[in-house]
Amino acid sequence: MNRRLEERRAYHARYKQTVKTRGKPFFPYAMFHDTVMSLLVVCLIVALAVIWKYTANEGTGEHDSGWLGKLYDEKADPGTTNFVPRPDWYFYFLFYLLRIFKWPDSVILGTVGIPTVALLLLLALPFIDIGRERRPMRRPVAMTAAVLTIITMGVLTYKGATAKEPLAAENLVLVPKWAAKQGFAGNQTAVDGAKIFAQVGCMNCHTYLGAGTSNLGAPDLSKIGKTSNRGVAGFATYVSDPSKFGNNVMPQFKDLGADNLRKLGTFLQSSGTCSPKTDTCPAAGGQ
Amino acid sequence: MANKPQGRSHQLLQILLYPLNWLEERTSLPGRSGIVGGIKYFLFRKVPSDISWGHTLGSAALTAFIVQAVTGVILAMYYKPDPNSAYESIRHITDDLWAGWLVRGMHRWGASVFIILLFLHMGRVFLYGAYKYPRELNWIIGVLILVLGMMEGFFGYLLPWDQTAYWATVVGVNLQATGPFVGPFLGDVLRGGSEIGPDTLARFYSLHMLVIPGALAALIGLHLWLVVRIGVSSPPWSPTEAGRPEPGPPPAPRKGLVAPAPRNGLAAPVSRGARRR
Ligand code: HEM
């Protein structure tokens, strides 16, 4: 332990000595490199701004996007909810983590757990990797860890950039729109069911009024109350254990509990069967 | 000071140097250098003779930060942090002001360049093993800078008050609010209430243009001070790496393995010779 400290101190003392006797002055040698690099950085930033401006049209629509995106989007409107939020690219990896750790049990891992652990590891790096060796080829563990980290971050960022599946929090903001369109806004049980539907991962397989992703052959559920018409209790039983109905793809949702399943069932039964004009739905219990 | 007659050029030099000497005298303690001495030390301090382009990434990040600061100050002269006029003020900057699009574009894209340079610089430091003794503290400061830099981006993203900005922030803050214990509280603090509205925008603006840049500037100052104090590391693979034991310790042949004797025997003198250059 003590020897290690001594070795390090000796190393740094030798470093100082070598630099003093054989180093070169910062100005002009290093400063020259720094200046060239800084000029390049400024040129790059200006170039990006110019490309952004001159390839985009002055408008807010889809077709106004240039190579680097639109000049501006439409003004924020808390009333529209069909907007898919995208953070800046350097948050894509976090964004994608949240798709891996699903609502509601493990989402904390994605939002808080993993980022915190990663950050702590990064901070603690100099105290974990305490060997004196600095040559990359002789630090196989550190180098492997670094390469794996880079690959992971790269993949997560790429997946986050191209991901289509919506996030629970994104789906949730759609619920009022669904309620208005389907006409179950007046039925609080159905609205609650819609919120559960938006959050527990149904939309990773099912689409609903254009939102969600279609996966594993799961049907669109926008009109399921009409087409399938199992009734509130029927849907609740189905969702609770789909395998009983020969559906071995869809997971069981027994754990949601009877109350939540009833809400889900009400929502499903209200989909396609309510009248948006009169705001009336079939009485709970299905037709 | 001898008062011998000197040449013209010497007198001229004295006149030119006068303000510098004036400054130095007024900023120094007895026996210690002041501002001018400090700058001289900074400029003419010795650095390892084998550093090269890899070592420019730090100052590249500094340049990007300065670009953000300058363009940000200009934007702040025209931007209005309230939901009714924020979006319009951004459009005004982009469409009407002379070179407004350039300033906004540089600030917008400069942010990404800054983050990329931070990662590249960090990668360089990692590759060189430069986070090891005695530079641990500077690594920690660097990580804090990285986190603050990303937060700066998060808070700046809402300011244009357009759809992307608004909904990304709604989701972003909702996600923070899922955190245990302090999560919901944090969400409310960030929003300044239960909804994203005027208070949120003002809060984000203040964080984005005062609090975080201030903290960043302070940390960058500390970072550079440590860089100058400790000195930058040599590339570890350099034959003239500063600090390597001299002469190089012959790698101890491992027991049980056939020692690659000829290679060892040759390598030592060769590298020693290289170090003498
Ligand atoms: C605004 C952000 C930053 C600025 C302006 C900055 C600036 C600098 C400069 C000018 C150097 C001198 C050598 C070089 O350029 O490579 C340096 C070295 C260093 N930086 Fe940074 N840096 C920043 C962020 C970071 C980050 C994010 C990390 C790591 C997490 C970091 C860790 C280090 C370390 C450990 C050194 C010492 C390297 C050596 O001695 O070889 N810095 N920094």
Side-chain angles (χ1 to χ4, degrees), chain B residues 177-191:
Chain B
T178 63
F181 314 122
V182 291
F185 171 72
L186 203 66
D188 283 349
V189 169
L190 282 181
R191 277 186 295 253

Side-chain angles (χ1 to χ4, degrees), chain B:
Chain B
M1 289 272 156
N3 237 345
K4 281 197 206 123
Q6 305 269 1
R8 269 267 159 88
S9 60
H10 182 80
Q11 273 177 359
L12 197 64
L13 195 66
Q14 285 304 306
I15 293 171
L16 285 178
L17 283 182
Y18 181 77
L20 293 184
N21 290 334
W22 187 92
L23 250 184
E24 178 73 349
E25 195 177 329
R26 260 140 271 244
T27 53
S28 53
L29 290 172
R32 304 261 218 91
S33 53
I35 282 186
V36 179
I39 292 176
K40 260 195 197 155
Y41 173 75
F42 173 80
L43 283 179
F44 299 107
R45 83 201 133 105
K46 292 285 184 59
V47 291
S49 56
D50 46 13
I51 62 169
S52 72
W53 292 103
H55 287 79
T56 61
L57 289 166
S59 45
L62 179 62
T63 306
F65 181 77
I66 294 172
V67 168
Q68 290 309 96
V70 173
T71 52
V73 165
I74 300 175
L75 287 176
M77 294 172 181
Y78 299 95
Y79 175 77
K80 299 191 177 64
D82 110 74
N84 292 322
S85 35
Y87 181 75
E88 286 74 12
S89 70
I90 291 284
R91 292 203 66 144
H92 175 63
I93 290 170
T94 321
D95 295 343
D96 309 336
L97 293 181
W98 182 82
W101 63 269
L102 182 64
V103 176
R104 180 175 166 225
M106 284 178 72
H107 197 74
R108 185 187 165 123
W109 293 102
S112 289
V113 170
F114 178 60
I115 301 277
I116 292 176
L117 287 172
L118 286 188
F119 277 113
L120 290 179
H121 173 56
M122 190 166 107
R124 193 294 281 170
V125 169
F126 185 88
L127 189 71
Y128 284 42
Y131 51 86
K132 301 192 169 191
Y133 179 91
R135 302 187 176 84
E136 299 98 324
L137 189 57
N138 230 5
W139 172 266
I140 292 175
I141 295 174
V143 174
L144 295 181
I145 291 178
L146 180 68
V147 172
L148 281 178
M150 291 179 71
M151 279 167 67
E152 180 71 352
F154 178 78
F155 291 118
Y157 206 58
L158 177 68
L159 300 185
W161 201 252
D162 58 16
Q163 286 284 57
T164 322
Y166 183 82
W167 290 105
T169 307
V170 169
V171 172
V173 177
N174 278 349
L175 291 178
Q176 309 223 352
T178 63
F181 314 122
V182 291
F185 171 72
L186 203 66
D188 283 349
V189 169
L190 282 181
R191 277 186 295 253
S194 58
E195 304 256 335
I196 301 234
D199 290 346
T200 324
L201 189 54
R203 233 158 250 235
F204 275 41
Y205 186 52
S206 146
L207 287 170
H208 179 78
M209 67 166 281
L210 284 171
V211 181
I212 299 181
L216 268 175
L219 285 174
I220 292 174
L222 205 57
H223 192 72
L224 295 180
W225 182 72
L226 278 181
V227 165
V228 172
R229 282 229 116 178
I230 300 174
V232 292
S233 54
S234 273
W237 48 80
S238 158
T240 54
E241 184 207 341
R244 189 179 298 164
E246 191 166 351
R254 273 193 251 159
K255 260 189 239 155
L257 281 179
V258 184
R263 226 179 119 235
N264 271 350
L266 281 177
V270 165
S271 60
R272 210 176 298 142
R275 233 173 273 124
R276 289 265 159 68
R277 259 189 318 201

Side-chain angles (χ1 to χ4, degrees), chain A residues 141-172:
Chain A
V141 179
M143 282 300 142
T144 315
V147 169
L148 289 181
T149 309
I150 292 173
I151 293 177
T152 312
M153 290 288 279
V155 169
L156 285 177
T157 301
Y158 175 78
K159 292 281 226 174
T162 52
K164 290 285 189 297
E165 317 108 80
L167 226 61
E170 296 174 16
N171 294 329
L172 205 50

